[in-house]
Amino acid sequence: MKTYIPVIGLEIHAELKTKTKMFCGCLNDPNETRPNINICPVCMGHPGTLPVANKAAIEQMIKIGMAVGGEIPATSKFDRKNYFYPDIPKGYQITQYDVPFVFGGNLKGVQLTRVHLEEDTASSIHQKDATGNEVSLIDFNRAGVPLMELVTEPCIREVKQIGEFGRELQLLLRYLGVSDADMEKGQMRVEVNLSLGTIVDGELKFGTKVEVKNIGSFNMAERAAEYEIKRQREILEKGGVIDQETRGWNDPGQKTVSQRKKESSHDYRYFPEPDIPPIDLAKFDLRKLKAELPELPAQKRVRFADEYGLTAGQVEVLVFDRPLAGYFEEVVSELKTEVDESRVASREWKKMVQLAVNYLTSDLKGLMISAGIDDPAKTKVTAENLADLIILAADDKIGSRVAKDVLKKMFESGGDPNVIIKEQGLEQVSDEALLIPVCQQLIDANPGPAADFKEGKEAALQFFIGRAMGALKGKGNPAVLQKLFRELLTK
Ligand code: ADP
Ligand code: MG
Ligand code: ZN
């Protein structure tokens, strides 16, 4: 039996976040719910109107090109792609054919072919009218919104890379501030091209590709790819051939269905857009645009690992949550100003940084999620107060259970943890003279577990520590308790 190797390439569209549309002055407002509000003769395709290219959209394309390490040509141009469909009233779409704004580039190990700029189509709404007839309505709010299309080389071999790449691109576009790239809102759309390759004379020979559209999420994209691999393999194993076609993902049926046999580019009669002069990219201030690039996800990963010694998993959580990452850095810088320099150089420092990550990514984040807050800076917990809490915990002034309770209080009503702890008498108890009576009482009251421990059952020790913590309302120092129980139980 032959071995089939999946060959996958992606085409991803994303609406750019500009003030106005691509070729007219209409607002580009993805949140407009009333149909046909942001429209004009240009984006409605009226005869005699002239498009004017949006400079801000082109600048965003340049930034995308720089961020993926692509080549930006000296001049570029727009072209007409001719086809008839009600959502494209001019009878053609203005797009880019042979000279996109970005050639090549690389993201998350995936080689890019190109990134070009085009106009989005109107949206069609299919519904029943008052008399029950099926009608199609067209909303032109989206028509003419700047849309980038990124095409990858057919270099993806594993289905899970589809989601990894897609999420990385989404993250990059958000970092760059060029798109919200929300798939649920249709701001980002992915098409999967897939064939099964075979090894011929030691080389991978691609098969006939199928393009899958109508995909609403990265999960769907991966399921569509899995389905296609299975479908195509079954056809090939029976000696059949794969039709080059466009298929649609049918999510309720969890399958792809044929939509149309594939057209090729000459069907679209591409030609240069005569109403827009070629774009001279030398006229753009590339140095300024470069300087405006933020720290990119890949750079942040390296810096967070180096500077803070975080694990790959911790880095990933923070890279995907920019507000939390920014706040984390503030907390660390507060810690630096509050503790001695010698401590920053010591091994203890790493423990404090770890406490900061843990309090942020689990405790504070949990509280934020239940309160519906997306940015820690919008909570009552200041970075300075959180740094104080971390110092209290690192110095064993409070135990971990108490620290969580104090953080909750800080979240609810704000305030300095030192004050909260004093007011509520929550300091950790490490004084042996205070702890010994509590321990002895528990040992006397629980002869069974005490005997177990003497017979070598270590679990009995945890039982006693847990009971003591309960009696002390979480304020006991667990290390001291452990030492005391060992001594008292073996006496
Ligand atoms: P088209 O002209 O039909 O749009 P392209 O060559 O531009 O085709 O490729 C479109 C997408 O299909 C790209 O993402 C590319 O990586 C992918 N692709 C091209 N050939 C194959 C193939 N044989 N198998 C799988 N994917 C492919
Ligand atoms: Mg294509
Ligand atoms: Zn318009």
Side-chain angles (χ1 to χ4, degrees):
M1 210 160 67
K2 271 189 193 156
T3 309
Y4 295 108
I5 297 165
V7 174
I8 305 170
L10 302 173
E11 289 167 284
I12 301 185
H13 286 90
E15 284 176 355
L16 298 182
K17 206 163 120 176
T18 51
K19 247 198 232 96
T20 56
K21 290 189 183 180
M22 189 59 225
F23 300 113
C24 63
C26 291
L27 275 187
N28 169 14
D29 179 5
N31 298 319
E32 179 55 71
T33 51
R34 296 164 299 168
N36 295 311
I37 290 291
N38 296 316
I39 57 169
C40 75
V42 175
C43 56
M44 300 270 296
H46 289 196
T49 56
L50 279 177
V52 178
N54 183 336
K55 194 176 165 215
I58 297 172
E59 288 180 342
Q60 294 187 351
M61 292 296 290
I62 294 171
K63 285 187 179 175
I64 294 167
M66 287 172 167
V68 297
E71 186 202 327
I72 295 155
T75 55
S76 183
K77 69 181 178 68
F78 287 98
D79 301 275
R80 287 188 184 180
K81 178 182 181 179
N82 298 279
Y83 66 98
F84 176 77
Y85 202 72
D87 67 8
I88 195 96
K90 297 192 293 292
Y92 59 85
Q93 177 190 33
I94 306 179
T95 178
Q96 297 192 285
Y97 183 54
D98 52 342
V99 197
F101 284 119
V102 183
F103 286 99
N106 193 291
L107 186 68
K108 204 135 183 134
V110 173
Q111 194 60 40
L112 311 183
T113 312
R114 56 187 274 156
V115 193
H116 69 254
L117 182 56
E118 59 193 29
E119 57 180 336
D120 207 347
T121 58
S123 16
S124 315
I125 301 148
H126 307 286
Q127 61 180 47
K128 282 199 170 74
D129 70 6
T131 55
N133 293 320
E134 301 269 356
V135 293
S136 290
L137 304 172
I138 299 184
D139 176 5
F140 287 90
N141 285 340
R142 199 183 70 179
V145 162
L147 192 66
M148 66 128 240
E149 178 175 352
L150 177 149
V151 183
T152 79
E153 289 291 294
C155 61
I156 295 172
R157 300 281 171 270
E158 277 181 71
V159 168
K160 72 169 178 19
Q161 280 181 281
I162 297 173
E164 285 169 6
F165 176 81
R167 278 183 276 274
E168 185 73 5
L169 177 63
Q170 190 176 45
L171 186 68
L172 180 70
L173 296 174
R174 289 176 179 168
Y175 267 61
L176 291 171
V178 302
S179 178
D180 289 334
D182 188 332
M183 290 200 80
E184 274 170 30
K185 290 188 185 161
Q187 292 167 335
M188 189 169 187
R189 289 159 241 160
V190 54
E191 282 146 34
V192 175
N193 296 272
L194 189 145
S195 71
L196 291 181
T198 47
I199 304 287
V200 178
D201 298 330
E203 271 181 43
L204 178 62
K205 190 170 168 291
F206 296 170
T208 303
K209 77 160 200 225
V210 165
E211 179 173 350
V212 186
K213 292 182 185 286
N214 191 35
I215 291 169
S217 69
F218 298 126
N219 269 333
M220 277 188 215
E222 293 187 352
R223 273 179 279 131
E226 300 278 11
Y227 181 87
E228 271 305 303
I229 291 171
K230 189 163 161 284
R231 188 188 69 87
Q232 293 183 24
R233 183 186 289 134
E234 282 170 11
I235 292 172
L236 293 171
E237 279 172 355
K238 280 190 209 135
V241 290
I242 305 297
D243 285 338
Q244 187 180 326
E245 63 179 345
T246 301
R247 299 177 70 88
W249 175 244
N250 174 311
D251 200 54
Q254 294 285 298
K255 61 183 180 186
T256 65
V257 288
S258 184
Q259 288 185 332
R260 56 187 144 93
K261 301 297 161 192
K262 181 72 183 175
E263 63 289 304
S264 56
S265 67
H266 63 252
D267 294 331
Y268 291 121
R269 283 194 307 114
Y270 279 101
F271 64 86
E273 168 58 59
D275 290 341
I276 304 172
I279 312 290
D280 184 357
L281 289 163
K283 288 214 182 100
F284 286 74
D285 192 342
L286 299 185
R287 230 189 295 162
K288 176 170 161 275
L289 293 174
K290 181 131 211 168
E292 280 171 11
L293 293 184
E295 179 180 45
L296 300 176
Q299 297 166 322
K300 202 183 208 100
R301 282 190 183 99
V302 173
R303 187 170 66 80
F304 270 38
D306 281 2
E307 205 171 313
Y308 304 115
L310 305 184
T311 66
Q314 291 171 329
V315 168
E316 223 46 31
V317 170
L318 293 173
V319 164
F320 270 88
D321 193 335
R322 268 171 114 196
L324 203 65
Y327 189 82
F328 163 75
E329 296 208 86
E330 265 182 64
V331 172
V332 173
S333 98
E334 287 292 342
L335 280 172
K336 263 190 192 147
T337 62
E338 286 182 44
V339 303
D340 299 349
E341 241 173 84
S342 61
R343 276 186 96 175
V344 175
S346 75
R347 273 173 57 205
E348 240 189 315
W349 176 247
K350 199 166 170 187
K351 182 178 156 195
M352 288 198 205
V353 173
Q354 283 296 316
L355 281 173
V357 180
N358 291 335
Y359 284 145
L360 286 177
T361 57
S362 66
D363 302 274
L364 185 62
K365 189 71 193 178
L367 292 165
M368 285 166 58
I369 289 169
S370 37
I373 302 174
D374 58 359
D375 183 347
K378 291 180 194 154
T379 70
K380 289 181 180 147
V381 183
T382 66
E384 194 189 345
N385 286 159
L386 188 57
D388 285 338
L389 183 72
I390 289 162
I391 293 168
L392 285 165
D395 289 346
D396 278 337
K397 295 248 174 63
I398 51 171
S400 58
R401 197 176 106 182
V402 169
K404 281 181 206 298
D405 290 345
V406 173
L407 182 57
K408 191 148 173 275
K409 292 216 171 68
M410 290 161 68
F411 183 81
E412 284 159 1
S413 36
D416 182 335
N418 289 293
V419 174
I420 297 174
I421 287 158
K422 281 249 160 58
E423 274 174 8
Q424 317 213 352
L426 295 172
E427 283 113 328
Q428 177 149 283
V429 182
S430 303
D431 186 346
E432 296 190 7
L434 291 172
L435 295 175
I436 287 172
V438 178
C439 296
Q440 193 56 57
Q441 212 177 355
L442 282 166
I443 291 169
D444 295 342
N446 296 283
D452 287 348
F453 181 79
K454 281 181 190 138
E455 280 164 26
K457 286 198 188 128
E458 278 290 309
L461 192 61
Q462 285 314 311
F463 164 82
F464 280 115
I465 294 169
R467 282 297 177 91
M469 275 301 209
L472 294 157
K473 299 203 175 63
K475 290 185 289 182
N477 180 327
V480 177
L481 284 173
Q482 181 169 39
K483 174 184 153 269
L484 289 177
F485 274 119
R486 273 192 198 287
E487 285 170 8
L488 296 169
L489 283 164
T490 47
K491 244 198 220 152

